[in-house]
Amino acid sequence: MVQPEDLHHPAFELATFVVIAILGIFCVCYALRHNSDDELYKTAFVVIICFGLICSLLVPICGVSDEKEHFVRSEMTSRGVIVPHWNGEEMGVTSLYNHTNGSLENRYNKGVGYETIHSVNVITGERNLNVFDAQHDTDKINYTPEIYDSAFEQNPFFGYLPQAIGILVAKILDLNIIWMLWLGRIFNLLCFAGLASYAIKKIPCLKVPLLVVACIPITIYQASSTSIDGMVFGLGILAVAYFVYMYKAEDSSIKNYEIAIFSVICLLLGLCKLTYLAFIFLLLFVPRKNFETKKHINLILLLCIAVVALIGIAWSHQVTPTLAHSWRSKYQPVNSTLQINYLMNHPGHALNVFSRFLNEEILKLSGQFFNFFNSAKLPHYSDRYYLLNTAVQIFLAIVLIAYPNNVKFDLKTRFGAGFIILLVYFGTCIVQLLSFAKVGGHGLGISLRYYIPLFALIPIVFQINYGDIKNNEFDKYAILISIVFMASMVLSFALKHY
């Protein structure tokens, strides 16, 4: 509920409401004119851009989870830095924080980090401020080299290419420093909108469920930032769309290059988020009769799976040590070996940890459909829009499980997709346990945004088709409600931050 004390800038908030109302009406009218299967992807692109653009401008400076680091990495990429250089080796240290004999007491290694520019440190220093309260948002870009301590060294460079292009445009046009952040966010949003809308165009059925997943408030929120999550969401949704396209293809119509394209999509997705390498197993559930090459097709599929898995595992092995170069090493030494040994020597603790995967962690995630990152002294995702959060959950359940479509997936495929959902969920929990939680602890630090692409698989796993509901009517209401939720999200930002 909005209180009078929340209205700090009534004129600005009223103007935001008017803009949202106009955009909402425009998007609804556009959707009504382009809600056929052939044009639904256009609706998706327009709706995502309209509300994502406002979100990218309204969200406070570096106000999205971990956006300071993502922004630093994006700026580095804009200068052509493909592999970030951590200067700790030159200073004789191996971690941003030193720990004594594995204890939690730590010492910060000053001056260690990654080279960026002065203006980046200025922007990140004004985190969670809006442009009315910021002191330096109108400064000109200062290219003086400086060090920033964390920069997601473990992430692949291509996850930051859209943001880097936006930042580069701001530099070329000699804009104020705030435009590095804004254009980085906007180009990231454009990339996500492009991937998501193409996925909706490509998929032969279940277009509206895919559109709804792309328009969940938390999806738009992350994609409208400089976070790599925009690339993860886009590639994840595209991977599911490409799988359904192959599954529903005509006999002998899928060529080998299409198998390669799907494999590359899964590989790029897995390099951005390791556990999503599991999406490559969807190849096993495409009917063999759909492939043009019948001879040795099983060998071809297994070879694709093996190549993707091996590259992904090799990448993970290469980048895991770089976690010690981030601020996360402040809380505990990053040591998966000690964590595994502790779990093996304390079976009671191990059982407790894995039981938390099925209760406490899921309960925590269920409260994050309409919760957003908050500022320094408050916990992550501390907003509590209980009514809207519950409404989003109910809406998603209806659209993803009870979508009135006569599409049928065989039992093997439904179980396979369900297994992949579980594999990614538990795999992510385990990865966080080994790379984030302190030895002997169970704080995973996971959030709902880690699992957005999995929602695209739910309509395959669960199908309750109500034949008496017309698709056309269902689609209209689903799109309308998605627009209402996005409008509510943007309005909540105006009320909270301005």
Side-chain angles (χ1 to χ4, degrees), residues 14-245:
L14 179 61
T16 302
F17 178 79
V18 171
V19 170
I20 292 171
I22 294 172
L23 276 180
I25 294 171
F26 166 74
C27 288
V28 170
C29 293
Y30 189 90
L32 291 175
R33 293 189 61 181
H34 301 83
N35 71 333
S36 66
D37 281 352
D38 292 335
E39 293 190 301
L40 197 59
Y41 73 96
K42 299 178 182 178
T43 295
F45 186 83
V46 169
V47 169
I48 291 171
I49 291 299
C50 284
F51 287 97
L53 183 61
I54 302 178
C55 190
S56 65
L57 299 176
L58 276 186
V59 171
I61 296 171
C62 296
V64 178
S65 183
D66 296 326
E67 193 173 16
K68 292 201 299 183
E69 280 181 276
H70 289 300
F71 180 64
V72 173
R73 182 65 190 275
S74 300
E75 190 282 325
M76 294 171 65
T77 307
S78 75
R79 290 184 283 111
V81 178
I82 304 301
V83 180
H85 173 68
W86 188 69
N87 70 348
E89 283 80 7
E90 293 96 300
M91 302 180 67
V93 296
T94 59
S95 177
L96 184 60
Y97 286 85
N98 284 350
H99 294 264
T100 304
N101 296 324
S103 71
L104 295 184
E105 295 183 5
N106 59 73
R107 179 177 61 82
Y108 177 70
N109 291 308
K110 188 175 181 180
V112 172
Y114 306 85
E115 183 179 301
T116 182
I117 62 175
H118 174 73
S119 289
V120 167
N121 279 333
V122 171
I123 291 180
T124 56
E126 297 195 312
R127 177 191 185 189
N128 292 312
L129 297 178
N130 61 50
V131 290
F132 297 135
D133 297 331
Q135 300 292 315
H136 302 284
D137 56 302
T138 57
D139 291 356
K140 286 298 182 180
I141 300 174
N142 185 330
Y143 295 92
T144 303
E146 289 188 2
I147 295 296
Y148 192 85
D149 58 14
S150 292
F152 279 117
E153 183 183 349
Q154 73 273 21
N155 289 342
F157 78 95
F158 61 81
Y160 296 96
L161 279 178
Q163 304 92 306
I165 293 172
I167 293 172
L168 185 60
V169 169
K171 290 177 177 179
I172 292 173
L173 297 179
D174 194 28
L175 301 176
N176 297 337
I177 64 173
I178 190 61
W179 283 101
M180 288 200 300
L181 179 66
W182 282 350
L183 287 179
R185 287 175 169 180
I186 290 169
F187 274 72
N188 195 28
L189 173 70
L190 286 169
C191 178
F192 168 73
L195 290 171
S197 58
Y198 178 74
I200 293 168
K201 182 180 181 180
K202 186 73 174 179
I203 197 170
C205 55
L206 302 175
K207 291 178 181 288
V208 168
L210 214 61
L211 183 150
V212 168
V213 171
C215 293
I216 299 172
I218 191 65
T219 305
I220 298 298
Y221 175 69
Q222 291 292 141
S224 302
S225 71
T226 57
S227 171
I228 199 174
D229 286 343
M231 185 67 73
V232 174
F233 298 165
L235 290 173
I237 291 172
L238 180 59
V240 174
Y242 216 93
F243 162 70
V244 177
Y245 158 75

Side-chain angles (χ1 to χ4, degrees), residues 402-415:
Y403 183 66
N405 200 310
N406 57 6
V407 176
K408 297 293 183 182
F409 294 89
D410 60 47
L411 194 60
K412 180 183 74 172
T413 302
R414 294 171 66 182
F415 272 109

Side-chain angles (χ1 to χ4, degrees), residues 162-448:
Q163 304 92 306
I165 293 172
I167 293 172
L168 185 60
V169 169
K171 290 177 177 179
I172 292 173
L173 297 179
D174 194 28
L175 301 176
N176 297 337
I177 64 173
I178 190 61
W179 283 101
M180 288 200 300
L181 179 66
W182 282 350
L183 287 179
R185 287 175 169 180
I186 290 169
F187 274 72
N188 195 28
L189 173 70
L190 286 169
C191 178
F192 168 73
L195 290 171
S197 58
Y198 178 74
I200 293 168
K201 182 180 181 180
K202 186 73 174 179
I203 197 170
C205 55
L206 302 175
K207 291 178 181 288
V208 168
L210 214 61
L211 183 150
V212 168
V213 171
C215 293
I216 299 172
I218 191 65
T219 305
I220 298 298
Y221 175 69
Q222 291 292 141
S224 302
S225 71
T226 57
S227 171
I228 199 174
D229 286 343
M231 185 67 73
V232 174
F233 298 165
L235 290 173
I237 291 172
L238 180 59
V240 174
Y242 216 93
F243 162 70
V244 177
Y245 158 75
M246 292 192 296
Y247 185 89
K248 293 296 180 182
E250 296 179 357
D251 292 0
S252 303
S253 63
I254 300 176
K255 303 183 184 302
N256 288 339
Y257 77 84
E258 293 180 296
I259 301 174
I261 289 174
F262 178 77
S263 300
V264 170
I265 293 171
C266 292
L267 176 60
L268 296 178
L269 174 62
L271 294 181
C272 291
K273 205 76 166 176
L274 178 65
T275 51
Y276 280 102
L277 287 171
F279 272 31
I280 190 62
F281 291 116
L282 288 170
L283 273 177
L284 298 176
F285 305 106
V286 179
R288 299 298 184 271
K289 62 183 178 62
N290 294 1
F291 294 105
E292 182 183 58
T293 302
K294 298 293 193 297
K295 190 176 182 180
H296 306 308
I297 186 60
N298 288 330
L299 180 61
I300 292 172
L301 297 183
L302 290 175
L303 181 62
C304 289
I305 292 172
V307 170
V308 169
L310 288 174
I311 294 175
I313 293 171
W315 171 265
S316 174
H317 179 75
Q318 179 70 25
V319 302
T320 295
T322 67
L323 293 173
H325 301 165
S326 83
W327 60 265
R328 292 159 186 82
S329 62
K330 174 179 182 179
Y331 300 107
Q332 63 277 326
V334 178
N335 194 318
S336 57
T337 302
L338 290 178
Q339 186 75 279
I340 293 172
N341 290 338
Y342 188 90
L343 292 171
M344 293 179 64
N345 294 324
H346 300 81
H349 171 75
L351 184 63
N352 177 55
V353 167
F354 285 102
S355 69
R356 289 177 63 91
F357 295 172
L358 297 172
N359 44 67
E360 283 95 338
E361 295 299 335
I362 291 179
L363 183 62
K364 185 192 305 179
L365 296 178
S366 68
Q368 295 179 4
F369 287 88
F370 206 91
N371 293 110
F372 309 101
F373 180 74
N374 210 333
S375 60
K377 295 182 181 179
L378 299 176
H380 287 2
Y381 298 99
S382 59
D383 298 324
R384 293 292 179 262
Y385 298 99
Y386 293 112
L387 180 60
L388 284 168
N389 187 76
T390 303
V392 172
Q393 291 181 34
I394 295 171
F395 172 62
L396 280 174
I398 294 172
V399 173
L400 301 182
I401 297 176
Y403 183 66
N405 200 310
N406 57 6
V407 176
K408 297 293 183 182
F409 294 89
D410 60 47
L411 194 60
K412 180 183 74 172
T413 302
R414 294 171 66 182
F415 272 109
F419 175 75
I420 289 172
I421 290 175
L422 294 175
L423 189 61
V424 173
Y425 173 72
F426 286 105
T428 302
C429 289
I430 292 171
V431 168
Q432 289 293 106
L433 179 66
L434 298 180
S435 64
F436 184 84
K438 69 179 182 180
V439 176
H442 47 66
L444 304 183
I446 63 173
S447 65
L448 186 68

